[in-house]
């Protein structure tokens, strides 16, 4: 009975989330523009100043095979309140327009049929699916790359830092603990900015380079350093949590230090750190989005780009919201994976 | 010649002097029980013998070989230390079995890592040992599936697998309820019957009386009284008298 209630609650939640998503796509996904690959520019030409003597207008000819329409696209500069009053050279005439919303209707002079509609209630959301999700997929690949590189770097570095902070030799343990305090005590976003911009400020040249690869590696370094410090504390807890008796039992059996570490304590340490590590790793999935502060093109960046303009689509917000699906799906997979690992380690107790 | 000679062992932790000159000898095949109240230094003495602690003063001689001499300042190397430890086996109060290994693997782990023979030989010996402590049907179980008494018997088999010359027990039954205590003591007694040289730190007076060849009563870091188990029936010192009346 109780289980059924939970299943029902879960089903309702999933339905609400999916419903909200579909609503966003279908009711806010109006197409404000043509996609770039549908546009064939045949030449720009500027129209003379308006009746009030200000502003200018660029006209681009295009045709859209999918919609079977063609016409001209107008980009009016600010200050042109009444641009539809303009006389357009040659064959075209504006029949409606609003500069603030960039809503334009145009038609050839010879044929007053409306050729293209912008933001006129035609739902172009689904038509953009392929473009939007293609772009989100690209962003997610970057997210995954950053995630994996961070894990690969932060786990061994974290182990080294944990040994450093546990060292009985103060000149090693003291500075290591200070570094851990600084890294854990300040925002990751700030660390990203410092690591990306500081070398340029100090040495006069940006060692990362301004391109996407440079931004990726600057992000990777910041993430590895940050997560290594968090991991090191988890490792320290895991190592110190193994009872001293286990170590002594290994000693009286004549085992060497490395045999004791690898054959006796390591497995018990792993079992202890799986729950806190899974927590931290799932946090990492979401923290990768912070890399957009230095314009690394991860998935949130890709989604948000559509709010302005990306791949010839502008002014839509649902791609940004859709990025949540990627995070949920991926962290769901990780949750299952760690659950499986925990179950695999269930055969013994520590 | 005595298999073990302990000479004038002193050990302090900070300002607390825990052992204040311990001397005794043990013959091959003898069972020595060490009794005394908590904090009297019994466990520290065992830890010094097993090189888990290093005495500040004194010598330890096993079978004529000096394995520890506080007058030699040089700390032994890791591999020397490992060799010295192998003279002794130690069974802990709280078993300290390796939780991630099955009963069989707990017993075979060290002999395999120390290459004490072929895997078949080691496993054969381990099976015999496990059978001798009465856990033949548990070889594939994990420590968490065993009772305390069973775990302690596995720990005894694990210590025996390295064929130590002297087997030490640090309050082997203190973590067990009275019902489980019996099965562990039975195993230790059977080892005594096979003339295994053993040092048993214990609070089980009946056991000390019936099984040992020799009893040491420790008090305040010194041996207050030692001798045949009959000293438990007729204690000479007042301290031992009052200690025994508490049982």
């Amino acid at each position: 009975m109780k289980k059924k209630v939970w299943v029902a609650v879960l089903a309702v939640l999933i339905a609400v989330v999916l419903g909200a998503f579909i609503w966003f796509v279908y009711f806010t996904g109006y197409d404000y523009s043509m996609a770039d690959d549908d546009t064939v520019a045949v030449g720009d030409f500027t129209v003379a100043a308006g009746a009030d003597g200000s502003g200018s207008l660029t006209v681009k000819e295009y045709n859209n095979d999918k919609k079977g329409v063609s016409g001209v696209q107008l980009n009016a500069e600010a200050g042109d309140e009444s641009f539809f009053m303009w006389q357009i050279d040659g064959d075209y005439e504006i029949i409606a327009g609003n500069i603030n919303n960039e809503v334009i209707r145009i038609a050839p002079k010879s044929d007053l049929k409306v050729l293209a509609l912008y933001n006129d209630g035609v739902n172009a959301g689904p038509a953009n699916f392929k473009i939007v999700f293609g772009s989100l997929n690209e962003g997610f690949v970057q997210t995954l790359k950053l995630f994996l590189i961070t894990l690969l770097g932060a786990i061994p570095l974290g182990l080294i830092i944990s040994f450093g902070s546990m060292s009985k030799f103060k000149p090693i343990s003291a500075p290591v603990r200070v570094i851990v305090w600084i890294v854990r005590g300040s925002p990751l976003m700030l660390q990203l900015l410092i690591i990306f911009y500081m070398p340029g400020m100090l040495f006069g040249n940006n060692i990362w380079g301004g391109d996407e690869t440079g931004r990726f590696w600057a992000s990777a370094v910041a993430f590895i350093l940050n997560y290594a410090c968090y991991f090191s504390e988890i490792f320290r807890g895991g190592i110190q949590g193994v009872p001293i008796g286990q170590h002594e039992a290994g000693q009286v059996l004549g085992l060497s230090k490395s045999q004791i570490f690898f054959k006796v304590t390591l497995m018990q340490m792993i079992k202890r750190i799986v729950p806190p590590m899974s927590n931290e790793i799932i946090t990492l999935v979401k923290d990768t989005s912070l890399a957009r502060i230095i314009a690394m093109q991860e998935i949130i960046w890709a989604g948000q780009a559509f709010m302005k303009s990306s791949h010839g689509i502008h002014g839509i917000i649902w791609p940004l919201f859709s990025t949540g699906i990627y995070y949920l799906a991926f962290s769901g997979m990780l949750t299952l994976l760690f659950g499986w690992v925990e179950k695999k380690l269930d055969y013994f107790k520590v | 010649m005595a298999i073990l000679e302990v000479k004038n062992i002193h050990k302090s932790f900070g300002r607390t002097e825990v052992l204040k000159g311990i001397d005794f000898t043990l013959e091959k095949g003898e069972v020595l029980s060490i009794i005394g109240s908590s904090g009297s230094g019994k466990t520290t003495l065992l830890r010094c013998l097993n090189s888990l602690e290093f005495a500040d003063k004194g010598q330890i001689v096993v079978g004529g070989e000096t394995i520890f001499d506080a007058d030699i300042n040089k700390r032994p190397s890791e591999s020397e230390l490992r060799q010295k430890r192998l003279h002794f086996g130690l069974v802990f109060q709280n078993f300290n079995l390796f939780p991630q290994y099955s009963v069989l693997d707990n017993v075979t782990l060290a002999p395999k890592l120390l290459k004490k023979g072929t895997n078949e030989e080691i496993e054969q010996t381990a099976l015999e040992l496990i059978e001798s402590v009465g856990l033949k049907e548990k070889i594939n179980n994990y420590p968490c599936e065993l009772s305390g008494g069973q775990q302690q018997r596995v720990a005894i088999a694990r210590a025996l697998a390295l064929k130590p010359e002297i087997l030490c027990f640090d309050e082997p039954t203190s973590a067990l309820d009275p019902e489980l205590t019996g099965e562990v003591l039975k195993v230790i007694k059977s080892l005594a019957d096979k003339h295994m040289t053993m040092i048993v730190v214990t609070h089980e007076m009946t056991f000390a009386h019936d099984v040992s060849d020799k009893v040491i009563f420790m008090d305040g870091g010194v041996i207050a009284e030692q001798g045949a188990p009959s000293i438990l029936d007729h204690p000479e010192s007042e301290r031992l008298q009052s200690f025994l009346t508490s049982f």
Side-chain angles (χ1 to χ4, degrees):
Chain A
M1 185 62 205
K2 225 174 177 185
K3 201 174 174 185
K4 272 186 188 164
V5 173
W6 280 111
V7 169
V9 168
L10 203 66
V12 169
L13 270 176
I14 291 171
V16 167
V17 170
L18 276 179
F21 175 65
I22 290 166
W23 184 84
F24 273 125
V25 172
Y26 280 86
F27 293 91
T28 69
Y30 296 123
D31 190 0
Y32 283 78
S33 172
M34 295 295 155
D36 275 347
D37 50 0
D38 296 331
T39 304
V40 183
V42 293
D44 293 348
F45 49 97
T46 307
V47 182
D52 59 1
S54 69
S56 70
L57 193 66
T58 312
V59 182
K60 220 181 216 177
E61 193 170 327
Y62 71 88
N63 60 69
N64 185 321
D65 293 330
K66 278 181 198 158
K67 290 184 179 173
V69 293
S70 60
V72 291
Q73 181 181 345
L74 291 137
N75 290 304
E77 292 298 325
D80 296 335
E81 291 288 339
S82 53
F83 72 98
F84 48 87
M85 300 293 289
W86 295 47
Q87 296 297 309
I88 296 176
D89 180 55
D91 300 321
Y92 300 102
E93 184 181 47
I94 299 169
I95 57 170
N98 178 327
I99 191 167
N100 292 324
N101 294 323
E102 296 183 344
V103 175
I104 306 158
R105 292 173 182 224
I106 46 176
K109 251 179 180 172
S110 53
D111 176 7
L112 284 178
K113 201 178 86 189
V114 171
L115 287 180
L117 300 175
Y118 288 80
N119 195 19
D120 58 354
V122 172
N123 184 1
N128 290 336
F129 256 46
K130 220 176 136 187
I131 301 160
V132 167
F133 282 103
S135 171
L136 293 186
N137 285 343
E138 275 173 38
F140 191 59
V141 168
Q142 288 299 102
T143 294
L144 273 184
K145 262 166 72 183
L146 182 58
F147 170 79
L148 289 174
I149 297 270
T150 303
L151 279 190
L152 279 178
I155 289 174
L157 183 61
L159 205 55
I160 294 168
I161 294 174
S162 72
F163 282 126
S165 68
M166 282 188 291
S167 168
K168 290 191 183 85
F169 187 57
K170 277 266 171 267
I172 290 178
S173 65
V176 168
R177 282 176 189 213
V178 169
I179 290 168
V180 171
W181 166 64
I182 291 172
V183 172
R184 292 202 308 164
S186 62
L188 176 51
M189 192 184 274
L190 190 59
Q191 291 162 19
L192 275 160
L193 291 167
I194 289 172
I195 284 173
F196 186 61
Y197 291 112
M198 198 66 126
M201 290 164 70
L202 290 180
F203 311 119
N205 71 320
N206 186 348
I207 56 167
W208 304 110
D211 61 352
E212 180 62 14
T213 319
R215 290 167 199 277
F216 176 81
W217 284 108
S219 309
V221 167
F223 271 84
I224 287 172
L225 187 62
N226 184 278
Y227 270 80
C229 287
Y230 279 97
F231 288 168
S232 78
E233 287 297 287
I234 293 176
F235 294 155
R236 191 164 69 91
I239 292 169
Q240 290 178 340
V242 176
I244 185 76
Q246 290 290 315
H247 194 261
E248 289 178 349
Q251 281 184 312
V252 297
L253 290 171
L255 304 186
S256 68
K257 275 182 183 165
S258 68
Q259 285 170 338
I260 291 171
F261 180 75
F262 287 107
K263 298 286 180 179
V264 177
T265 47
L266 183 64
M267 200 63 175
Q268 300 178 42
M269 170 189 153
I270 289 172
K271 187 176 165 83
R272 275 161 201 278
I273 65 174
V274 166
M277 281 298 277
S278 65
N279 224 352
E280 208 58 50
I281 288 171
I282 286 170
T283 307
L284 169 62
V285 177
K286 296 165 289 163
D287 271 4
T288 52
S289 61
L290 289 171
R292 65 174 301 287
I293 197 70
I294 56 169
M296 199 198 105
Q297 297 175 10
E298 46 69 66
I299 186 168
I300 294 267
W301 186 94
Q304 201 178 18
F306 287 104
M307 287 174 71
K308 211 173 164 196
S309 177
S310 172
H311 295 79
I313 301 172
H314 26 252
I316 50 175
I317 200 165
W318 67 263
L320 177 59
F321 294 159
S322 310
T323 59
I325 298 169
Y326 287 80
Y327 287 107
L328 282 175
F330 189 54
S331 60
M333 271 166 15
L334 287 176
T335 306
L336 291 177
L337 173 71
F338 287 118
W340 177 79
V341 171
E342 272 186 53
K343 210 161 180 182
K344 276 274 154 191
L345 292 172
D346 235 12
Y347 69 92
F348 72 95
K349 290 193 177 67
V350 290
Chain B
M1 195 182 68
I3 190 168
L4 174 65
E5 291 172 69
V6 172
K7 298 174 189 164
N8 195 30
I9 292 288
H10 285 253
K11 175 69 184 172
S12 301
F13 292 109
R15 284 183 186 170
T16 319
E17 196 174 15
V18 181
L19 298 177
K20 302 169 183 168
I22 302 289
D23 291 271
F24 69 88
T25 60
L26 189 64
E27 298 298 325
K28 194 168 165 49
E30 273 189 337
V31 177
L32 165 69
S33 289
I34 302 178
I35 57 171
S37 51
S38 300
S40 60
K42 309 182 298 289
T43 296
T44 307
L45 177 59
L46 274 198
R47 292 172 63 85
C48 286
L49 293 179
N50 283 278
S51 308
L52 290 175
E53 305 283 354
F54 298 98
D56 305 322
K57 252 194 243 175
Q59 286 95 41
I60 298 168
V61 182
V62 178
E65 179 198 347
T66 305
I67 66 154
F68 175 80
D69 189 343
D71 293 336
I72 298 168
N73 281 325
K74 195 170 76 70
R75 276 286 286 269
S77 72
E78 160 104 10
S79 59
E80 281 173 343
L81 205 56
R82 289 170 60 194
Q83 281 306 314
K84 287 170 180 178
R85 284 193 177 118
L86 288 178
H87 290 292
F88 293 91
L90 178 59
V91 175
F92 295 87
Q93 181 176 347
N94 47 3
F95 333 130
N96 288 335
L97 289 183
F98 304 134
Q100 72 270 42
Y101 294 119
S102 67
V103 166
L104 182 63
D105 290 342
N106 259 283
V107 179
T108 58
L109 180 74
K112 279 184 180 172
L113 288 175
L114 301 181
K115 303 201 168 53
K116 293 284 178 189
T118 65
N119 283 358
E120 291 76 32
E121 287 166 7
I122 289 168
E123 271 169 32
Q124 190 52 41
T125 318
L127 286 172
E128 284 162 20
L129 284 169
I130 293 167
E131 197 173 348
S132 74
V133 297
L135 291 170
K136 195 185 173 188
E137 67 285 3
K138 298 281 186 189
I139 52 166
N140 291 318
N141 286 68
Y142 287 89
C144 61
E145 299 162 340
L146 303 180
S147 72
Q150 290 170 331
Q151 288 190 48
Q152 192 61 297
R153 287 187 277 154
V154 175
I156 294 170
R158 180 176 73 174
L160 288 171
L162 288 170
K163 303 184 177 68
E165 290 154 63
I166 302 163
L167 185 54
C168 304
F169 294 84
D170 184 10
E171 304 193 22
T173 59
S174 294
L176 304 175
D177 64 44
E179 217 172 333
L180 299 176
T181 300
E183 64 188 49
V184 172
L185 293 182
K186 219 171 91 188
V187 169
I188 301 175
K189 189 167 184 321
S190 75
L191 291 173
D193 293 342
K194 289 179 211 157
H195 303 292
M196 178 82 206
T197 315
M198 293 189 283
I199 301 175
V200 187
V201 168
T202 187
H203 290 303
E204 297 289 330
M205 291 307 139
T206 328
F207 172 82
H209 185 272
D210 296 347
V211 177
S212 357
D213 300 295
K214 200 172 182 180
V215 173
I216 284 179
F217 171 61
M218 283 182 66
D219 186 41
V222 295
I223 295 177
E225 197 169 335
Q226 63 176 312
S230 58
I231 60 165
L232 297 174
D233 301 322
H234 311 287
E236 281 176 17
S237 63
E238 238 175 73
R239 188 65 193 84
L240 180 55
Q241 274 170 20
S242 69
F243 177 74
L244 288 173
T245 51
S246 63
F247 282 91

